Amino acid sequence: MSSMEGSHQEHQLPSYLTETLIKRSLEHDLQRPVTVDRFTAGPATAAGDNYLSDVFWIRVEYDGGASEKRLIAKCMPDVGDRGATLDTLDAFRKESETFQQLLPTFSQLVSIDGWEQFGAKCYYATTEPVRTIVFEDLKVLGFRMYERTQGGLDFDHMALVMRKIAKFHAASMLYANQCPENARHLAERYAYGFHNPSEDPDESRVLHAFQKGLEKFLSVASGWPELEPAVLRQLKLLQPTFTRRIADSVRGRQAGARYEVLNHGDLWSNNMMFRYENGTTVREIMFVDYQLSVYGSPGLDLVYTLYNCPQKDVRQNRIEELLQVYHRTLRDTLKHGHYESLPTFDDVKEEFSRNEFFGLICSIVLLPIMLMERTPNLDLSFDAFFQEEHGDRVRDIQYNGATYRAAVVPILHNLLARGYIQ
């Protein structure tokens, strides 16, 4: 990660990351004129940690050196397949609206003993010259990402994740319960996440990539002696309808749902930041990246998180315990907000079970991405991934990873035994 001086090395920055953008961000937040003295900036994430956005850290001195801030700029340039995908998923509009409007309101609804914050403070959002959202830098506040290549989150991290999801879900329920307009707002403005239902599943670049993932898994896993042959047989039977099954599985609003919430939609470990006490004891969590939020069954967030994030032993042995952690926090938060008809633990388990085919999808096409070993000099950009030869090379690395193989086999055996691979 190299820093770039705004005064001497600005040509190394993308053309859209300018002093004007930084000045507008500060002025929008402070509601007064600002003079930028100097700034430094550089890439804020490593290769493979972000796909739809370019993320930069910024350190800016302003007002004659009297003040300094650390910012994060999340930029979504309209280029190649990435730009078209951002448009189809309405990602920028959704995320900017979430950070600027919903999250502050949600915080007010559920803050009990202090301020409950669901994301970084948003300073500014603009579409000119490219779609950009500017945030406070959570690293300055002591938050950091968990290393995604370490095999997953331990129980203490996962319990913290589940409590935060529960508070976020509860906040959305309280918000929707305030008035019909709020409920309609969530249903209409957050109608889809991974897949826009107006797009033919067979034409979706994202779902096409998922289909390629299934094909690569079948190719690689056919040589795994520890994997039951019945798993491969059933997965092969799914191939002709896989993209349409995915489209059905990621639909937010589901007939018979016990309760509905705003789902974060993309809760894997790189979209979480943690703060620690004494360097090791995890104390706080903050969510990032609300591009795929969707209103509907809470099972979407629960399945996505519990299939993709935990360490192998936690996933195999403590899922129900984590669902209990989630339910207790959901219930207590809703009680404090005087919400009637509190969801029961059976309701939570029903929504989780209803969505476990989505867990199969996560295991086959998302978990290998999340557990991918870091590979120097490998282009992991969104557009490069969709280049046939390069994308296949990346998948080879992902699906042949030892950590992924150890994690996915017991997941698939469990899903097969319970009738979810069909």
Side-chain angles (χ1 to χ4, degrees):
M1 184 183 296
S2 60
S3 65
M4 292 168 273
E5 287 285 340
S7 56
H8 300 296
Q9 303 179 41
E10 191 165 348
H11 65 278
Q12 296 184 32
L13 293 170
S15 59
Y16 47 78
L17 194 63
T18 64
E19 181 177 313
T20 300
L21 171 68
I22 297 167
K23 175 179 170 67
R24 287 177 179 169
S25 300
L26 293 172
E27 290 180 343
H28 186 266
D29 177 62
L30 297 171
Q31 293 294 296
R32 63 171 177 79
V34 165
T35 300
V36 173
D37 302 309
R38 63 188 62 83
F39 72 93
T40 56
T45 56
D49 289 345
N50 279 86
Y51 286 90
L52 285 175
S53 310
D54 297 328
V55 185
F56 301 92
W57 60 262
I58 301 167
R59 184 176 69 84
V60 54
E61 296 176 40
Y62 60 100
D63 290 351
S67 300
E68 178 182 310
K69 281 191 184 294
R70 285 287 298 265
L71 306 172
I72 292 290
K74 183 174 184 178
C75 307
M76 307 169 214
D78 188 10
V79 293
D81 289 307
R82 178 167 57 165
T85 299
L86 287 165
D87 288 338
T88 300
L89 299 181
D90 198 17
F92 172 79
R93 192 277 309 164
K94 186 182 293 184
E95 184 162 39
S96 58
E97 183 174 303
T98 300
F99 273 98
Q100 292 182 307
Q101 299 176 27
L102 280 189
L103 296 191
T105 300
F106 281 12
S107 292
Q108 291 174 347
L109 287 171
V110 300
S111 293
I112 300 173
D113 301 319
W115 184 249
E116 186 70 44
Q117 191 172 352
F118 294 109
K121 178 182 178 181
C122 180
Y123 283 86
Y124 185 57
T126 182
T127 58
E128 297 295 336
V130 302
R131 292 166 287 205
T132 302
I133 307 177
V134 180
F135 306 96
E136 67 181 335
D137 188 346
L138 291 175
K139 289 184 179 179
V140 175
L141 302 179
F143 289 89
R144 67 177 189 264
M145 283 185 182
Y146 192 90
E147 175 51 55
R148 65 174 175 81
T149 63
Q150 296 303 305
L153 302 175
D154 63 22
F155 184 82
D156 288 343
H157 282 82
M158 285 304 306
L160 194 64
V161 171
M162 299 309 288
R163 286 192 287 269
K164 196 72 168 186
I165 296 174
K167 289 179 182 178
F168 181 72
H169 286 181
S172 71
M173 294 170 72
L174 293 169
Y175 175 80
N177 196 51
Q178 284 183 326
C179 63
E181 290 76 14
N182 285 359
R184 186 164 52 250
H185 173 84
L186 293 179
E188 293 177 355
R189 303 287 278 178
Y190 297 87
Y192 54 85
F194 270 108
H195 173 64
N196 184 334
S198 67
E199 182 181 34
D200 185 334
D202 294 329
E203 301 297 322
S204 167
R205 296 305 301 270
V206 173
L207 299 191
H208 176 72
F210 285 10
Q211 180 79 32
K212 287 285 189 182
L214 174 59
E215 293 170 5
K216 177 59 69 175
F217 178 85
L218 289 170
S219 172
V220 172
S222 62
W224 295 353
E226 72 274 26
L227 184 64
E228 293 183 20
V231 171
L232 295 173
R233 287 197 300 269
Q234 291 298 112
L235 288 176
K236 287 176 183 176
L237 292 174
L238 283 173
Q239 276 187 282
T241 60
F242 195 56
T243 54
R244 293 187 177 274
R245 292 287 299 274
I246 297 170
D248 289 339
S249 296
V250 299
R251 184 176 292 115
R253 309 203 78 177
Q254 302 169 9
R258 302 285 185 91
Y259 64 106
E260 292 185 310
V261 304
L262 181 64
N263 290 273
H264 176 283
D266 194 15
L267 277 174
W268 66 298
S269 57
N270 267 33
N271 286 335
M272 307 167 185
M273 296 186 73
F274 299 94
R275 183 153 62 182
Y276 297 83
E277 184 179 281
N278 301 322
T280 56
T281 304
V282 64
R283 290 301 186 199
E284 294 183 63
I285 180 175
M286 202 81 77
F287 294 156
V288 302
D289 199 343
Y290 286 84
Q291 293 179 330
L292 298 176
S293 297
V294 56
Y295 186 65
S297 169
L300 293 172
D301 265 353
L302 296 175
V303 166
Y304 190 95
T305 303
L306 290 172
Y307 271 81
N308 288 324
C309 294
Q311 292 176 350
K312 177 182 172 182
D313 65 314
V314 176
R315 187 188 296 109
Q316 287 183 266
N317 303 312
R318 305 187 74 175
I319 292 297
E320 181 150 337
E321 191 175 347
L322 288 169
L323 289 174
Q324 289 171 340
V325 170
Y326 166 86
H327 176 249
R328 284 195 297 271
T329 304
L330 180 76
R331 179 198 60 203
D332 292 347
T333 307
L334 290 173
K335 271 186 180 179
H336 181 266
H338 308 292
Y339 190 91
E340 298 180 1
S341 301
L342 300 176
T344 65
F345 185 52
D346 283 341
D347 294 333
V348 171
K349 290 193 294 183
E350 168 65 21
E351 293 308 308
F352 181 77
S353 298
R354 176 204 304 280
N355 287 276
E356 279 198 87
F357 185 81
F358 185 36
L360 172 65
I361 296 164
C362 291
S363 304
I364 295 296
V365 301
L366 295 174
L367 191 59
I369 298 172
M370 297 170 184
L371 295 180
M372 180 182 180
E373 299 165 3
R374 297 200 183 276
T375 305
N377 304 317
L378 182 67
D379 186 353
L380 292 173
S381 65
F382 186 86
D383 287 309
F385 187 68
F386 283 98
Q387 296 169 8
E388 195 72 24
E389 185 176 336
H390 184 79
D392 200 55
R393 181 189 169 205
V394 173
R395 290 187 190 92
D396 273 335
I397 296 170
Q398 292 169 342
Y399 284 86
N400 283 290
T403 303
Y404 171 64
R405 179 171 172 173
V408 76
V409 170
I411 294 174
L412 295 178
H413 287 168
N414 180 273
L415 287 170
L416 178 70
R418 293 188 295 120
Y420 283 98
I421 310 181
Q422 58 183 342

